[in-house]
Structures are given as structure tokens and as C-alpha cells.
Amino acid sequence: MSYHIRIHDRQNDKLYEADIEGDRYILDSLEDQGIKLPFSCLNGACTACAMRVKSGQIDQHEVIGLSKTLQDEGYALICSGYALSDLDLETQDEDEVYRLQFGNFFAKRKRHWFQFGIPIDHD
């Protein structure tokens, strides 16, 4: 099935539109049409291709680098996602999504550094 996709590229202030097939990764379909968007791992493990889903649905069953919570909040990794409907997407800053994904975990732990087997409080 074919779906229409609109992407607002925030970093370059551009709007892209294309028709894509639902049985192919979104990023692959866009690349084939000459639309160049950020990506890195192409395995759904990093957050380089993260998008905010403004409207529509994406099947992300292969994505491992984005928690179910963030997916439910409207984030998607298009390198490993399939369109399930027409889509309106917006690029995200990779660091922004990474902090949302992992920032709370690291912020909760106090770091202890060790030198010669003796803990050093590094605050």
C-alpha cells in the first residue's frame, strides 16, 4: 500500500513530500527518491534518524534504540520503521532524543571515580 509523507526538516528549514510504500523502510523509500535525511546505524539502534510523528502511524517492531514510552509519545526511527498510514513528520535533534531516551537513567546515578582502589567523589 502507498502512503503520502510530509517531513519538515527543522535543521535545514525544508519541507519534503513523497509517496512511499508501506512494505519498505521509510528512510530507504525516501533515499530512493533523492530525499537526504540524517541517519547513522541503519539498524534502529541509534537516534540519528529520529522523527517526531505529528500525525499518522509507524510500525516500529524492529526498532531497538527507542523505548516504547518514547514511541508512545510520538517519536520514531525511520530507518527501521514502516508507514501504516499517511505521515506528517518532523526531524529531531539526535542529542535531544538521546537525552530523552537515556538522560534520566544517567542523571539518577551518582558517579564514583576510583584511584588506586580508593573512591574519589568527583563533584
Side-chain angles (χ1 to χ4, degrees):
M1 178 154 244
S2 182
Y3 300 108
H4 188 74
I5 184 169
R6 291 172 36 108
I7 299 173
H8 174 226
D9 182 346
R10 290 180 15 198
Q11 290 74 13
N12 297 310
D13 196 30
K14 291 184 178 179
L15 181 64
Y16 300 107
E17 292 196 49
D19 291 316
I20 61 172
E21 295 299 319
D23 63 349
R24 296 192 60 217
Y25 292 135
I26 296 167
L27 184 62
D28 285 345
S29 294
L30 295 171
E31 287 272 319
D32 286 350
Q33 296 180 51
I35 298 173
K36 306 293 184 201
L37 294 166
F39 69 88
S40 184
C41 74
L42 294 175
N43 292 312
C46 74
T47 55
C49 69
M51 297 278 170
R52 181 70 180 210
V53 181
K54 305 299 261 179
S55 68
Q57 294 182 352
I58 297 177
D59 175 351
Q60 297 190 74
H61 75 273
E62 296 177 18
V63 170
I64 60 173
L66 195 61
S67 69
K68 180 74 169 118
T69 301
L70 284 180
Q71 290 179 34
D72 291 344
E73 290 177 11
Y75 291 91
L77 301 182
I78 63 169
C79 72
S80 298
Y82 303 91
L84 295 173
S85 68
D86 291 342
L87 296 169
D88 188 5
L89 307 176
E90 183 175 68
T91 60
Q92 299 296 294
D93 177 58
E94 178 181 8
D95 291 339
E96 173 186 350
V97 178
Y98 189 86
R99 278 192 299 276
L100 289 170
Q101 176 77 4
F102 300 110
N104 291 336
F105 173 75
F106 292 116
K108 290 179 183 177
R109 292 184 39 184
K110 184 173 181 171
R111 289 186 178 203
H112 294 283
W113 299 93
F114 291 85
Q115 184 172 9
F116 307 111
I118 302 169
I120 299 172
D121 193 1
H122 208 49
D123 290 341

